[in-house]
Amino acid sequence: MLAPNEALRLNQKYMERRGAITGTMIARHLAGAITLAAPAAVNNRTHLLPLDIDAGGINAIHALIAETKLRDLWAFGQYCLRQGLADEYQRGYVWLPFDTLVDTARLQALGAQLIAAISQPEWKIEARAIHAVTRLPLGRHRHTGRFGDLILGERRIDIDQDPTGALTELYESYRENHAAGLPELPPISEPTARVISSRNGDGITITRYNEDHDVEDLIQFYGARPAQRRGLYFCPFHRDEHASLQIYTAKGRRYVHCLSTLSDCPLARHGRNDAFNVYCIGEGLNAKEGLRRLNERE
């Protein structure tokens, strides 16, 4: 995680955290001293479905919350107006909390259903119950310097006027959705084959994993969105506004590299990231841990 002064120097919106988040960190986040971002999922399980609105603003937030209510689900949102942007290009978040850990694929599928139900041509909304970092609720927007508005049903509460009061309102309204009540949703095909390879009886190796998995499929699984320019994606491992993730071929193999120089993105640290690198980054594992999990070894 970047220190606050370093993040400001690099013009970062938030501090990425993949390890434990302490109470002190949460207190600083709620006070606006730092803005934390962390993966919703660990080991393909998550308590939370974040819906990240890149275009659609307050109308998209209200539409998503209304749709969740129709499904007897509870959600809340956060909206921070950015001056100079038209309504349809404003951003925000909606979060659906659950009472127990849920398979990532089920919540991603639920997110896709919610988005499809309310989608408008100009809106851009992404489900992020994944291992890529997402800003935590009630954080200060690092560019606007404001917390913005808390959205509870049809209510819109100005957090900046009374941060403690807004937190109290959320506390009193907050409820967790029952994961047991979710319908069995069609699972998203997971690209990580968790079976021991019978080839030579040696199990899955880095080389074999790269032979069996395409790096472009993997980055899309972890939330990358294609840009209009061919070969470029919006990187899922940092807040990417300019499509900095590049797919390229070298010596007959496909690799991915993040061109961002200010984000501390893990895919920017090395020029050649193969499928196995992407898998380990997406799951928050080192190489040894990645191989152990792929081969179902404790």
Side-chain angles (χ1 to χ4, degrees), residues 5 20 35 55 57 70 72 75 80-81 130 139 184 197-198 215 221 266 291:
N5 59 343
T35 302
L70 289 176
D72 199 26
C80 191
L81 179 70
I130 54 178
E184 289 299 326
S197 170
S198 61
V215 70
F221 174 75
L291 287 173

Side-chain angles (χ1 to χ4, degrees), residues 57-209:
I58 191 66
N59 292 329
I61 293 174
H62 282 306
L64 283 168
I65 291 176
E67 183 64 26
T68 62
K69 187 175 181 180
L70 289 176
R71 297 165 186 254
D72 199 26
L73 296 169
W74 185 83
F76 68 99
Q78 188 172 355
Y79 173 66
C80 191
L81 179 70
R82 298 183 69 179
Q83 298 296 331
L85 286 182
D87 290 344
E88 62 267 27
Y89 298 118
Q90 298 287 349
R91 299 176 177 180
Y93 288 92
V94 168
W95 291 277
L96 286 79
F98 287 82
D99 60 356
T100 189
L101 287 170
V102 183
D103 288 340
T104 297
R106 290 183 72 193
L107 289 194
Q108 283 293 98
L110 172 62
Q113 287 189 353
L114 292 169
I115 293 166
I118 58 94
S119 183
Q120 300 290 329
E122 68 276 12
W123 291 1
K124 295 180 182 178
I125 308 171
E126 180 184 358
R128 293 184 65 80
I130 54 178
H131 298 80
V133 294
T134 300
R135 186 153 62 101
L136 271 58
L138 296 186
R140 187 194 297 275
H141 195 290
R142 306 308 290 180
H143 283 182
T144 66
R146 299 182 63 251
F147 290 97
D149 298 328
L150 172 66
I151 312 299
L152 295 174
E154 297 181 357
R155 299 170 61 204
R156 183 169 168 177
I157 302 164
D158 189 334
I159 303 172
D160 295 272
Q161 282 192 357
D162 184 6
T164 301
L167 183 60
T168 300
E169 294 273 7
L170 177 60
Y171 177 80
E172 292 177 349
S173 302
Y174 183 85
R175 72 176 178 88
E176 293 179 330
N177 298 298
H178 296 299
L182 281 174
E184 289 299 326
L185 302 169
I188 296 174
S189 179
E190 186 177 348
T192 53
R194 300 190 180 187
V195 295
I196 298 177
S197 170
S198 61
R199 202 183 328 174
N200 297 331
D202 293 333
I204 297 173
T205 65
I206 294 175
T207 298
R208 290 175 182 175
Y209 187 88

